Amino acid sequence: MTTVTTTSNRLVTAFDQARDNTWVRFGVRRFAQLVVSVWVLITASFLMIHLIPGDPVRASLGPTASQSLIRARRHALGLDDPLLNQYAHYLKGVFTGDLGTSITSQLPVSQIIGQRLPPTLLLAVLSFLVVLVVSIPLGVLMGVVTRGGRARRTELVFSSTSVVFGSLPDFLLGVGLVYVFAVSAGIFPVAGRSGPTSYVLPVLSLSIGPAAALARIMRVEMVSVLDADFVRTARAKRLPALKIYLGHALPNALTAAITLGGLLLSALVAGTVLVETVFAWPGLGSTIVQSILAKDYPVVQGIVLVYGAGVLIINLVVDVSLALLDPRSVIKES
């Protein structure tokens, strides 16, 4: 009896310690938010096919399709079952990897996504790496050069240029890059995924705007950090300039950059839809456009789920990264 009581007291103590731990509360809160977000995403994806006016099966098969074919297709998709049964079946399919069958190609949706996801993922990752490689060094350099009101003309030119490039739509950039470097100069392929050179124009189309925006934010953050007291103290200790800028100022300036970087990565994933269409890229973006035009709603549902899950994962990674870099934000939220 004494042993049971001691074990129970230890469990209660461990539970109280875990409940009072800031990181445990942070993890539980973020996990609960993720679960709710996933449920909302899945439910919205399920309701998509039911909120569309008219009969989606007839719309996808065309007006000449016979009634027997329409009934057979509706039965195959489970659209003649009660709504709650359809929802339960859809939930089961999502968690088991069975996203249904394409209306037009009769292929499993999971197979279509498995074939088209790697090109889109590679395009988004390469674009994000280009954004980081270009924007962070450029933003840091401009912050150092323009600190304390120095180099006003340089600051004006940089700010104006970054605003212009940051406001240009990525698909419009893609059309311009195709005309200049593919049609006129013939340096890169016009469209398609044929080799390493075929990545250049789509990656630039996706990365130029976000790189300009992130570089502008990095410059502002760097200028602000360089005026902080701890940087003045580091200068008073006569530390090397490189150590002050990279060892002291840069880590503090990266907090806002990581937050914006997560948003930019989410925008890059969404931006692949238009850029892939411009460059005839065989990814999820061009596939969802073709599926919408063909009214192939099971494929649209599956790709929406993938895009939504990608954005949720990116936001989770950003939150965890910010918590590790700035634990005070976790304590403040808790």
Side-chain angles (χ1 to χ4, degrees), residues 107-246:
L107 292 174
V109 175
S110 56
Q111 180 180 339
I112 296 174
I113 292 176
Q115 293 172 351
R116 298 302 181 96
L117 178 60
T120 296
L121 200 58
L122 183 58
L123 188 62
V125 170
L126 288 176
S127 301
F128 187 64
L129 291 177
V130 170
V131 169
L132 295 182
V133 169
V134 172
S135 62
I136 293 180
L138 181 59
V140 170
L141 176 62
M142 295 306 301
V144 172
V145 171
T146 61
R147 70 188 187 279
R150 296 178 175 88
R152 292 287 187 181
R153 291 183 179 178
T154 304
E155 177 186 352
L156 179 61
V157 171
F158 172 76
S159 300
S160 303
T161 305
S162 61
V163 167
V164 170
F165 280 107
S167 60
L168 286 175
D170 43 23
F171 72 91
L172 191 60
L173 268 174
V175 173
L177 291 174
V178 167
Y179 178 76
V180 174
F181 295 103
V183 177
S184 299
I187 301 174
F188 301 108
V190 174
R193 184 179 177 227
S194 56
T197 56
S198 64
Y199 284 84
V200 176
L201 296 184
V203 167
L204 287 178
S205 301
L206 282 172
S207 58
I208 287 177
L214 186 56
R216 190 167 67 252
I217 297 297
M218 275 300 303
R219 189 200 72 82
V220 173
E221 290 296 318
M222 198 69 181
V223 169
S224 176
V225 170
L226 289 175
D227 286 335
D229 292 337
F230 70 92
V231 175
R232 295 195 188 98
T233 303
R235 286 201 184 99
K237 292 180 179 179
R238 298 184 180 278
L239 294 178
L242 197 61
K243 186 174 183 180
I244 293 174
Y245 297 144
L246 300 183

Side-chain angles (χ1 to χ4, degrees), residues 257-300:
I258 289 177
T259 305
L260 182 59
L263 298 176
L264 290 177
L265 184 55
S266 301
L268 283 177
V269 173
T272 56
V273 174
L274 295 177
V275 170
E276 287 184 6
T277 304
V278 171
F279 290 95
W281 194 261
L284 288 181
S286 58
T287 302
I288 193 173
V289 172
Q290 295 168 5
S291 300
I292 291 173
L293 295 176
K295 298 179 174 59
D296 195 345
Y297 298 115
V299 177
V300 176

